C-alpha cells in the first residue's frame, strides 16, 4: 500500500511540475542579477516602495534588514521609503489592502512578492512581465500583458514606460513603443525594470551571498579534511592482511 501511495505522490508531483512549466511558455528576456550592485538594489527598493507596495506586500522581510543589507541609513529609509508613520524600522514590509477589496477592484488578489523570484517567476519573468504590457481596449484598465494574458493588474509603470502597441505580422507579434509617450526613454525604463527585478531577486533570499561565501569555506574544509581521513584510513588498513 505504502509503495502505491509513494508512486501516486511522485506522479502527482511530476504532473504539477509539467503544468507549472507549461505556464511560462512565452520566451523570457534574460536579466543577470547583480547583488554587489548596491546602487541598483537601492533604486529597485525605491521603485518598489513607490509603485508596488500599495498592492503587493513583502511581509516576510523587515525594513531594518533591507536597510542594513542595501546600505541605506535607517533615518533615510524611514523618511523616504516608509509611508505609514506608525511603521517602525523593525516592522515587516506590509500594506493595508484587504483581500476582499482587491478581489472587487482587480478580480484577483495581488500576491505577496517576498518569495516570488525563488518560488514562482524568477527574475527573468518579472523583468519580461514588466516590459510586456500593451494597450488593449477590451481590458478593464485598457492594458493587457503578453506574458500574463488578461492579467488583473493595471500597468502601474505606464507613466514611465509609455504605451506599447501589439503589432502582428503573419503569426508573430511584437510590441512597439509609442516614442515619447512615457517620461523615461526605452533604455532608462529597461534600467528601472532591471533594478526592480534585481531588488526582488535579493529579497527572495537575503542570505544568498552569505550562503555562497560560506559554501566555499565548507568545500575547502572538506577537501582539507579528506587528506587526513585518507591518511588515517591508510594507517588502519596497513594491519589487514
Ligand atoms: C493597483 C494594484 C497593483 C499594483 C500597484 C501592482 N500590482 Fe502586481 N498585481 C496586481 C494584481 C491584482 C495581480 C494579480 C493579477 C491576476 O492574477 O490576474 C498582480 C500580479 C502581479 C504579478 C504576477 C503574479 C503571479 O501570479 O504570477 C507580478 C509579478 C506583479 N504583480 C508584480 C508587480 C510589480 C513588480 C509591481 C510594481 C511595479 C506591481 N505588481 C504593482 C495588482 C497590482
Amino acid at each position: 500500500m505504502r509503495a502505491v501511495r509513494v508512486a501516486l505522490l511522485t506522479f502527482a508531483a511530476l504532473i504539477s511540475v509539467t503544468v507549472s512549466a507549461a505556464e511560462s511558455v512565452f520566451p523570457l528576456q534574460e536579466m543577470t542579477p547583480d547583488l554587489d550592485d548596491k546602487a541598483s538594489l537601492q533604486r529597485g527598493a525605491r521603485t518598489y516602495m513607490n509603485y508596488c507596495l500599495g498592492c503587493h506586500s513583502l511581509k516576510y522581510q523587515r525594513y531594518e534588514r533591507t536597510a542594513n543589507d542595501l546600505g541605506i541609513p535607517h533615518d533615510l529609509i524611514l523618511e523616504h521609503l516608509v509611508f505609514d508613520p506608525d511603521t517602525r524600522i523593525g516592522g515587516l514590509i506590509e500594506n493595508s489592502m484587504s483581500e476582499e477589496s482587491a478581489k472587487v477592484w482587480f478580480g484577483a488578489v495581488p500576491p505577496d512578492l517576498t518569495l516570488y523570484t525563488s518560488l514562482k517567476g524568477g527574475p527573468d519573468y518579472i523583468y519580461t512581465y514588466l516590459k510586456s504590457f500593451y494597450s488593449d481596449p477590451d481590458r478593464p484598465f485598457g492594458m493587457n500583458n503578453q506574458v500574463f494574458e488578461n492579467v488583473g493588474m493595471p500597468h502601474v509603470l505606464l507613466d514611465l514606460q509609455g504605451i506599447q502597441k501589439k503589432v502582428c505580422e503573419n503569426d508573430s507579434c511584437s510590441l512597439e513603443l509609442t516614442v515619447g509617450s512615457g517620461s523615461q526613454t526605452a533604455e532608462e525604463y529597461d534600467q528601472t525594470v532591471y533594478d526592480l527585478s534585481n531588488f526582488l531577486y535579493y529579497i527572495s533570499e537575503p542570505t544568498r551571498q552569505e550562503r555562497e561565501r560560506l559554501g566555499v569555506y565548507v568545500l575547502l574544509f572538506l577537501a582539507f579534511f579528506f587528506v587526513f581521513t585518507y591518511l588515517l584510513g591508510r594507517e588502519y588498513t596497513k594491519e589487514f592482511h
Side-chain angles (χ1 to χ4, degrees):
M1 258 342 262
R2 180 105 188 265
V4 175
R5 235 172 49 205
V6 171
L8 277 179
L9 281 178
T10 318
F11 186 62
L14 275 178
I15 290 189
S16 65
V17 167
T18 332
V19 169
S20 59
E23 264 174 18
S24 51
V25 282
F26 190 84
L28 297 182
Q29 300 178 37
E30 261 178 56
M31 67 81 66
T32 313
D34 180 359
L35 297 179
D36 288 321
D37 189 347
K38 293 282 185 283
S40 158
L41 294 173
Q42 290 176 359
R43 290 192 302 264
R46 184 184 61 195
T47 310
Y48 192 90
M49 302 305 171
N50 279 295
Y51 290 94
C52 316
L53 182 60
C55 294
H56 298 278
S57 56
L58 295 172
K59 65 178 177 190
Y60 301 107
Q61 171 93 337
R62 294 178 192 279
Y63 284 103
E64 188 171 22
R65 162 113 217 197
T66 315
N68 293 348
D69 287 350
L70 269 49
I72 309 175
H74 288 183
D75 53 333
L76 285 187
I77 198 168
L78 283 175
E79 194 177 328
H80 297 290
L81 295 183
V82 180
F83 305 117
D84 172 6
D86 290 335
T87 302
R88 310 215 168 163
I89 188 72
L92 297 166
I93 310 182
E94 290 175 312
N95 61 25
S96 50
M97 182 179 286
S98 79
E99 295 198 352
E100 290 76 42
S101 314
K103 260 192 211 138
V104 175
W105 294 333
F106 311 109
V109 179
D112 182 278
L113 294 183
T114 324
L115 299 170
Y116 190 80
T117 60
S118 291
L119 295 181
K120 198 164 176 207
D124 291 349
Y125 183 85
I126 297 257
Y127 182 72
T128 314
Y129 169 69
L130 293 173
K131 288 172 69 176
S132 301
F133 283 94
Y134 64 90
S135 99
D136 178 354
D138 294 338
R139 296 295 304 156
F141 300 105
M143 299 301 273
N144 206 332
N145 191 294
Q146 244 190 337
V147 181
F148 192 147
E149 273 308 323
N150 299 332
V151 70
M153 171 173 149
H155 184 9
V156 294
L157 300 177
L158 183 72
D159 287 350
L160 306 181
Q161 183 187 27
I163 296 175
Q164 294 194 114
K165 291 210 170 73
K166 194 174 190 173
V167 185
C168 290
E169 257 176 46
N170 304 326
D171 267 349
S172 71
C173 294
S174 61
L175 299 182
E176 269 176 24
L177 181 68
T178 312
V179 179
S181 57
S183 61
Q184 295 190 331
T185 63
E187 290 75 36
E188 284 166 349
Y189 184 71
D190 281 358
Q191 186 68 46
T192 301
V193 173
Y194 173 89
D195 296 337
L196 194 51
S197 313
N198 205 18
F199 171 69
L200 284 172
Y201 181 71
Y202 148 75
I203 210 132
S204 71
E205 196 190 339
T207 50
R208 187 185 308 265
Q209 279 177 308
E210 175 79 356
R211 168 168 69 73
E212 288 173 359
R213 195 179 56 80
L214 266 181
V216 174
Y217 287 115
V218 171
L219 288 180
L220 283 177
F221 171 75
L222 285 179
F224 176 76
F225 190 63
F226 171 77
V227 176
F228 291 98
T229 325
Y230 174 75
L231 291 177
L232 187 68
R234 217 174 54 174
E235 225 24 66
Y236 282 160
T237 46
K238 257 190 200 158
E239 325 226 321
F240 299 161
H241 296 291

